[in-house]
């Protein structure tokens, strides 16, 4: 499986490290990054897993 944090930009890696939650698709890509204040997780789950 590809490590998306290592293959992305430094800014993307910093965002992943600072995230409260990360939704990773079965193919290893990051589908959603949450900072604790966002409510978009249900939308991301619907988009990628239904």
């Amino acid at each position: 499986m590809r490590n998306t944090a290592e293959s992305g930009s430094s800014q993307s890696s910093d965002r992943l490290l600072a995230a409260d939650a990360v939704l990773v698709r079965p193919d290893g890509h990051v589908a959603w990054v949450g900072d604790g204040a966002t409510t978009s997780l249900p939308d991301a789950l619907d988009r990628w897993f239904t």
Side-chain angles (χ1 to χ4, degrees), residues 9-44:
S9 70
S10 175
Q11 184 178 25
S12 296
S13 297
D14 291 345
R15 186 172 178 212
L16 288 175
L17 292 173
D20 291 330
V22 177
L23 174 63
V24 181
R25 298 183 336 201
D27 62 1
H29 291 272
V30 175
W32 176 87
V33 176
D35 62 5
T38 60
T39 59
S40 61
L41 178 58
D43 293 333

